[in-house]
Amino acid sequence: MRVLILGGTTEASALVKGLDPRIDATLSLAGRTSAPKREPVPTRIGGFGGPEGLAAWIAENRIEAVIDATHPFAARIGRNAALACERTGVALLAIRRPAWERIHGDRWTEVETMAEAALAIGEMPRRVFLTIGRLEVGAFATAPQHDYVVRAIEPIGDALPVPRLTEIAARGPFDEAAEAAFLAERQIEVLVTKNSGGPATYGKIAAARALDVPVVIVRPPDKPDVDSVPDAEGALAWLRERLEA
């Protein structure tokens, strides 16, 4: 079976490692990092050119199934995959992590966009930890009074032109103990993050709760209504069923 996996997540990595030898898989990455993690399947980098380009690639490469294992906030590729698979008649499965839910002790302010997150920090200058990736940090230029600590895999360059900015280059995951030590060492007063769901990056949420640090959290975007499973194990089971059908 020829399968296209739209990846870039821990779920995609777990999926390709568990594939049945009868599956001929290609992993596609958006190319947002210059040195992506190596995976044990052929990998392509870059976009397809919208749903039309993706549909053409699927047809040209005789793909029989597509698995959308992209980041919960990668809304555009999710829509493109749904449209392309509908046009080509190819089966599509999405891995959709359950979003994190607020529990006792969490001090969350939930917002819809990064622009709202910048406003939600407040007017008073604070020490703010941004864990949102590098592509959306520019939204916080509207609140230059804060002292920002940004952690990302790639340098952010001049994307956040504010007077006080500390960059931390690091690739997760980070557990609760490491995140708690980081928050305390950096004297973080507000954590800004995305509700990405899943266990891999939950450590910062648990650490903020333990240290009574407020969290501004961006809700995940709406995704197309397609068949879905919560994890890589579910996707592997789906593939096995198709192989045995």
Side-chain angles (χ1 to χ4, degrees), residues 1-4 19-26 61-67 91 238-245:
M1 182 190 299
R2 297 175 67 86
V3 176
L4 172 63
L19 287 174
D20 187 291
R22 293 172 290 173
I23 291 177
D24 180 6
T26 298
N61 289 274
R62 305 189 306 279
I63 297 299
E64 299 168 73
V66 175
I67 296 182
W238 183 82
L239 287 170
R240 283 194 297 270
E241 289 177 4
R242 299 189 69 82
L243 279 171
E244 295 164 5

Side-chain angles (χ1 to χ4, degrees), residues 57-147:
W57 195 94
I58 288 171
E60 180 181 347
N61 289 274
R62 305 189 306 279
I63 297 299
E64 299 168 73
V66 175
I67 296 182
D68 176 6
T70 57
H71 192 275
F73 280 74
R76 180 180 300 175
I77 186 61
R79 291 192 297 269
N80 290 352
L83 288 170
C85 288
E86 182 178 4
R87 292 176 185 179
T88 57
V90 168
L92 171 64
L93 181 75
I95 299 179
R96 300 271 173 82
R97 307 172 189 165
W100 299 321
E101 295 186 2
R102 186 200 308 251
I103 65 173
H104 179 71
D106 286 327
R107 296 175 59 194
W108 286 9
T109 299
E110 296 184 82
V111 297
E112 300 292 337
T113 66
M114 287 300 165
E116 292 179 15
L119 290 173
I121 299 170
E123 290 294 328
M124 181 180 297
R126 307 174 87 176
R127 190 157 175 81
V128 180
F129 181 28
L130 300 181
T131 64
I132 59 173
R134 64 185 175 90
L135 298 180
E136 295 180 271
V137 296
F140 295 86
T142 60
Q145 70 273 25
H146 303 300
D147 186 349

Side-chain angles (χ1 to χ4, degrees), residues 100 107-109 111 113-122 126-133 136-137 139-140 143 146-151 179 183 188-196 204-205 208 213-219:
W100 299 321
R107 296 175 59 194
W108 286 9
T109 299
V111 297
T113 66
M114 287 300 165
E116 292 179 15
L119 290 173
I121 299 170
R126 307 174 87 176
R127 190 157 175 81
V128 180
F129 181 28
L130 300 181
T131 64
I132 59 173
E136 295 180 271
V137 296
F140 295 86
H146 303 300
D147 186 349
Y148 290 101
V149 177
V150 177
R151 185 173 69 198
E179 295 289 52
L183 294 176
I188 299 301
E189 297 174 280
V190 180
L191 166 66
V192 180
T193 192
K194 299 175 178 179
N195 191 335
S196 301
K204 59 193 170 188
I205 300 297
V213 172
V215 178
V216 177
I217 190 164
V218 182
R219 296 185 183 95

